[in-house]
Amino acid sequence: MCILGLHQKQRPLMCNITLFSQIIKKIDRSIFKKLVQDKQTDKGCKGFDSWTHLVSMLFCHFAKSTSVRDISNGLRSATGNLNHLGISKAPSKSSISYQNKRRDADLFKDLYYSLMGSLGQQASLRRVKLKIKVPVYLLDATVISLCLSVFDWATFRTKKGAVKMHTLLDYDEKLPVYVNITEGSVADNKGAYNIPLEKGSVIVADRYYNDFPMLNVWDSKGVFFVIRHKDNLAYTVISERELPEKMAQHVLIDQEIELTNPQSKTKYPKKLRRVAVWDEKNQQTIEIITNNFNWAAQTIGDLYKSRWEIEVFFRDIKQLLHIKTFIGTSKNAVMIQIWTALITILLLKAMKATAKYGWHLSNLVAFIRLNIFVKIELQNWLDRPFEDHDKP
């Protein structure tokens, strides 16, 4: 409960619980308890339960702790405030290490997807550039490098290890609706075979997903795709579609085509639409194939350009959170750290979306890191971060 000051309309209010505690309270404990019960992740544990584990890993990301020692010492420094976090005492570094190796990472994976239902909707933004109303998803993968001699399970190249995050990003929420974490050696298209398919939606992806058997499955499920095609695409032109005379002068080609390579044609026997647009920013021509024949060519080009949003997401999660280096070396520990990073970015984007102040995500992360154990009312602080605080 926050202590009301006389000037609550002008100033952020002081509060008797820390900023970090209030952020943690955004997670529905009843959802988490049900997941713990279903997965039996607290069975046989002594003291360091699943909730303490979650709080510890979220602290790792918000405080950008570089080791289990940093997590343990950081939480220990919050003595007197731990009960507001729902934990009785700060965990030891050996407890964190042991449970990172042992506790099922799927607990945190399922929590992320459960929280997407409520917090993801808060983070959703009104669509501005795209004129279509169907759901738009951006598909890509990013490599997180690891040392092969330490993470020997993470095969990638002869002398280099890595994991790969195959990600399907919701265009409106700018958050993943599906993530498949594999060894770095798994090809981008192979890691995307199990993505959820929503009839009537559109999937936008780069040339690495120019996989005709997969595109044929998408088409048969009523899913539209906008994919940059490979330079060696073999096709014949069925018809040239009329280009706009005045508008959308960056649209260079709009054709209906058929594949001519016998193997490719067997895998995708239907006709395709080929659109080429000029990218002024990068001074290059982008050639795209799609199975949608109704949208304007400019819309097809705009859809492909929207793919940049997933690159921004990958940049944010790597630069702002703690997934470039790992506090545990087992596969399970790496999975836990990545899934708790995704929960952290979900919390951050929900806070950013509800704030009246125009936060950049990088600034919001930095300010939370500096004020993580400060006792101030969260929403007022998000709305007016630079005003004087009332004394408690």
Side-chain angles (χ1 to χ4, degrees):
M1 181 178 178
C2 294
I3 302 168
L4 300 179
L6 295 174
H7 309 291
Q8 59 181 1
K9 292 184 180 179
Q10 291 80 29
R11 297 179 177 181
L13 304 176
M14 297 308 294
C15 196
N16 65 356
I17 62 173
T18 64
L19 211 59
F20 185 50
S21 299
Q22 293 171 77
I23 293 170
I24 294 296
K25 286 183 182 294
K26 290 184 172 291
I27 297 172
D28 191 329
R29 283 290 295 270
S30 63
I31 292 174
F32 188 74
K33 283 180 180 177
K34 188 175 186 310
L35 289 172
V36 170
Q37 190 174 5
D38 292 345
K39 294 187 172 296
Q40 293 288 292
T41 55
D42 279 350
K43 189 176 182 180
C45 88
K46 296 178 181 177
F48 190 69
D49 62 6
S50 299
W51 179 256
T52 306
H53 197 175
L54 174 65
V55 171
S56 300
M57 292 307 296
L58 293 180
F59 179 79
C60 169
H61 294 294
F62 277 111
K64 214 165 188 179
S65 305
T66 57
S67 66
V68 287
R69 186 188 296 276
D70 282 354
I71 298 171
S72 179
N73 290 343
L75 288 173
R76 192 173 285 120
S77 70
T79 307
N81 296 310
L82 292 178
N83 61 320
H84 297 302
L85 294 169
I87 62 179
S88 55
K89 64 176 184 177
S92 66
K93 61 183 192 299
S94 58
S95 296
I96 301 169
S97 295
Y98 177 74
Q99 292 295 354
N100 264 351
K101 189 175 182 179
R102 176 186 171 276
R103 185 166 277 127
D104 188 358
D106 282 354
L107 170 67
F108 305 98
K109 172 184 175 181
D110 291 352
L111 177 63
Y112 171 78
Y113 287 131
S114 298
L115 293 175
M116 271 292 292
S118 54
L119 296 178
Q121 290 176 355
Q122 290 180 26
S124 187
L125 300 172
R126 187 171 64 86
R127 195 174 293 188
V128 179
K129 293 182 181 179
L130 297 179
K131 296 177 182 178
I132 58 173
K133 294 183 179 180
V134 300
V136 175
Y137 300 105
L138 315 175
L139 178 63
D140 207 349
T142 188
V143 172
I144 302 170
S145 297
L146 300 169
C147 176
L148 191 58
S149 62
V150 179
F151 301 83
D152 54 2
W153 52 269
T155 56
F156 184 41
R157 293 181 184 142
T158 308
K159 296 182 180 180
K160 189 176 180 183
V163 291
K164 191 176 280 188
M165 275 179 62
H166 306 268
T167 305
L168 188 68
L169 195 81
D170 184 290
Y171 174 79
D172 295 317
E173 296 175 358
K174 306 296 187 289
L175 286 164
V177 294
Y178 174 82
V179 175
N180 181 19
I181 304 167
T182 67
E183 290 83 3
S185 56
V186 176
D188 289 8
N189 60 323
K190 300 300 180 188
Y193 266 76
N194 294 322
I195 63 170
L197 300 174
E198 183 180 345
K199 188 175 181 179
S201 64
V202 56
I203 296 175
V204 184
D206 206 354
R207 57 166 64 94
Y208 299 111
Y209 298 91
N210 196 161
D211 180 312
F212 290 118
M214 184 170 69
L215 297 184
N216 195 38
V217 170
W218 292 358
D219 183 79
S220 67
K221 299 286 185 183
V223 175
F224 298 117
F225 56 80
V226 174
I227 307 283
R228 188 172 185 175
H229 73 69
K230 295 177 181 177
D231 295 335
N232 62 352
L233 183 71
Y235 64 92
T236 183
V237 178
I238 301 172
S239 64
E240 295 278 355
R241 295 166 67 102
E242 190 174 341
L243 296 176
E245 290 184 10
K246 294 181 181 178
M247 301 290 289
Q249 292 300 296
H250 60 286
V251 177
L252 308 177
I253 296 170
D254 190 0
Q255 304 169 328
E256 293 183 16
I257 65 168
E258 275 186 350
L259 302 176
T260 55
N261 181 293
Q263 288 184 326
S264 299
K265 191 168 176 61
T266 303
K267 295 168 184 174
Y268 197 96
K270 289 160 275 192
K271 67 178 182 179
L272 287 161
R273 184 178 178 188
R274 178 175 176 267
V275 175
V277 294
W278 175 249
D279 180 7
E280 184 65 32
K281 184 178 179 180
N282 298 304
Q283 293 291 296
Q284 63 176 342
T285 301
I286 299 172
E287 298 171 305
I288 307 158
I289 53 172
T290 180
N291 60 338
N292 187 291
F293 295 87
N294 297 321
W295 295 331
Q298 181 177 355
T299 300
I300 303 294
D302 289 344
L303 274 167
Y304 185 79
K305 288 177 182 177
S306 72
R307 202 191 67 81
W308 176 248
E309 294 293 344
I310 198 167
E311 302 289 353
V312 173
F313 173 80
F314 288 148
R315 181 201 66 196
D316 286 346
I317 200 168
K318 285 182 175 181
Q319 289 183 359
L320 305 180
L321 303 180
H322 190 44
I323 64 166
K324 279 189 173 180
T325 57
F326 289 85
I327 60 172
T329 58
S330 69
K331 185 175 183 178
N332 196 68
V334 169
M335 295 294 181
I336 287 174
Q337 195 164 328
I338 292 174
W339 282 110
T340 50
L342 290 169
I343 294 168
T344 305
I345 204 97
L346 175 56
L347 289 166
L348 285 165
K349 291 206 171 189
M351 287 187 283
K352 180 178 180 290
T354 57
K356 292 178 182 177
Y357 181 76
W359 289 99
H360 289 290
L361 202 61
S362 57
N363 288 343
L364 179 58
V365 172
F367 272 67
I368 289 174
R369 197 162 286 152
L370 291 169
N371 296 281
I372 196 161
F373 288 134
V374 171
K375 294 182 177 180
I376 184 169
E377 206 278 324
L378 175 61
Q379 193 58 50
N380 278 274
W381 178 81
L382 288 170
D383 293 341
R384 298 186 295 276
F386 298 111
E387 294 184 26
D388 292 335
H389 302 173
D390 284 330
K391 294 181 179 180

